[in-house]
Amino acid sequence: MILYYDATHRAFNDDEVQWYINAVNKIYWQNGLRVHLYLDNCSVFRKSSSIYTYADDWAEMYSTALNAEREYSKLNITLVYGWATGIGIGPYPWLQDKYGSVVVANGTNPFLAANSDDRDNIVSSIAHEVGHTLGLLHTFHRNHCRNNCFQECVSRTRTQEGICLFTAGKKKCEVNGDCLCDTDADPSNINGVSYNCSSYTITNQGQASSTCAVTDNYGDYWLQSPNNNALNNLMTYQMYSNVTCNQITPMQQGVMYHYIRKATNYFKYNEDVDFYENDNFYQTNPFVSNSNCNIANINSKQYHAFHHSNGSACDIDWVYFQNSTSTAKPYVIQTQEVTGKPKPDTKITLYSINTDGTLGAQLATNDDISGTNLFSKITSSNLAASGRFAVKIENKVTNVADIRSKGHYYLRIDACYDKTDVAIVGDNTICTSKQYSISNLPVGATVTWQGSSCVSISTTNNVATVTKTCDNTMTLTATISYCGETFVVTKENIKVGLPYLLYSNTGCTYPEALVETDFEEGPCNSQCYSPSQSKWWCATPVYNATNVTWQKVLSIPANYNFWSGNWSGNNNFVNILFKSANQYVELKTTMSNTCGSIEQYYCFNSTTTLCPAPMMMMAGGNQTLKVYPNPTSAGNIVSLELYLEEEPIDFENSTIQLLDSKNKIILEKTGKKVTKEQLEIPTISSGTYYISITNVNGTVSEELIINGSR
């Protein structure tokens, strides 16, 4: 950040500069743009010079303010005092060798209460000009050109006419305006048309038009509804008049990412910059609604990291919290190790905050938890009810050659007592009854216990005896009352009793197999027959089981068995292959855990109907393919097994392809000398796909159902 000022107009202080940068970050993050600005070397360059004050022409801004004092490998943002508030200039990346923008503030202090709108407009302007610096055009770019070849029309599908050289046939929204089709067409000052994003009004030659009766060259009305994002986009000119106009569309984000990645010589990736930057300076009035400060959640932890660049280890973290209760109470403030990351040598200091928002008295400090010489811990005396407090965290390792100067840590603030290791202690399985307690429970605390289902609970001295009432999976909750507050801990996925069944297969792609209710009578699940085409069925979902086994009870013919590849069971799925009509198999599944087991029976039979040929037939050889689990989800790994004449074979020299329903190749790999291959499913839409294997034996394929993401 570069600041220019004179004797009449003071430069913004560190607190104010930090506020601006954090407010811009807030705009980006609220839009899902993972771009994070922070002060390099924790510092601001300030220069007193009247030449930059009241910069009354664009030439001066461009030639002087924009180009002076800038550095490579940084995004240079320059603030000068001028004739207006929130106007600026941000040259496109292809027009400058150093990435930078200039924003003009007027001659008054925008941090005065009366000038809060000026302050917000400067924020929007910085975000807007940085957008230009990272490649974004105005949403109305060149729309002053009324020629059909250059005007971006309202329609998102209309194409360029044949007379438009070099762009004929392309969508107008791809080559006109800002060349992005997810930003709506923006008329901005076409023949005097203007609009206001807060009131959703449109004017034509200064006259309000409630019907928005102003059209593009094709008769379509501009800005027909408040949902039109041209009214709210950051790259309109409306952001100067209304700070709610800060939307950044996905395509705009893509452009910004592109120029950030393209400018690798300009922007350096720094994984040690945490989410909460900028927080290097105490910020006055951190609890006001628009302060953009890091207000910590009590009884939880935050991830922080120290950073530096260009040889300066200057990072300091400021965090704020409040005793929002009506009771004075102590607080435990500590830093903790982040596994696998460099360990800093932290020092923490606790301050009060005065009623006017300024930093108050130092209350406590700690440089070392005994024996570690790394992390720090403060256990305060009672802090005032409704009081507000600040925590300063420093890294005493300042030698940039020491990796610990970029140390990572957790900051935790607990009310009343240290809750770091407070948890429910007990088994994850209940067959009849089990006892549960709380680790590190403070003396004098009381505990209330509750189970989500299928248990009864009795309590003695804060120890809960949990007794099974049915078979299920449950969550155990403990509410701890102490020091005028409550703290809740849970233990999830406790298995209660035997495995149990849910007679619902909602969402299962395969047909649901009927459970055999009578050993002699059925019902039986019928399917067609095929020499090679097997069929998957959904068996009843089972829960709480640590082991699921399948076995044949009876078959017609008698040699119908697993080893010939005619059937297989996999947890809640079973695969059946009937090679001829009027075949029959009865299967038993046994589901067990440490508490015991239950059994379930299924029967399957083939009809006299021959199965239709699959979509893709094998090119040669009696080759079959098994894919499981199937259905699956994007991001999961599926296993593949290949058989030739019912015997398992290797995938060596096989080409493995994942195809969509239109036979488009999604991914491809070469098989190794293994009898079982694995395929990681990429992030793709739900639907029907096919896995195809091609080798010397021919080509074989199997349908794969994708049900959402993992």
Side-chain angles (χ1 to χ4, degrees), residues 58 60 88 124 132 159 173 178 200 206 295 363 419 432 478 497 560:
W58 294 102
E60 181 181 343
S124 290
H132 285 317
T159 57
C173 59
D178 63 358
Y200 306 112
I295 310 298
L363 302 178
K419 302 179 178 69
T432 54
Y560 185 97

Side-chain angles (χ1 to χ4, degrees), residues 148-149 159-170 172 218:
N148 287 0
C149 292
T159 57
Q160 293 282 80
E161 291 87 343
I163 62 172
C164 303
L165 296 178
F166 308 113
T167 62
K170 295 182 179 180
K172 287 185 173 291
Y218 303 91

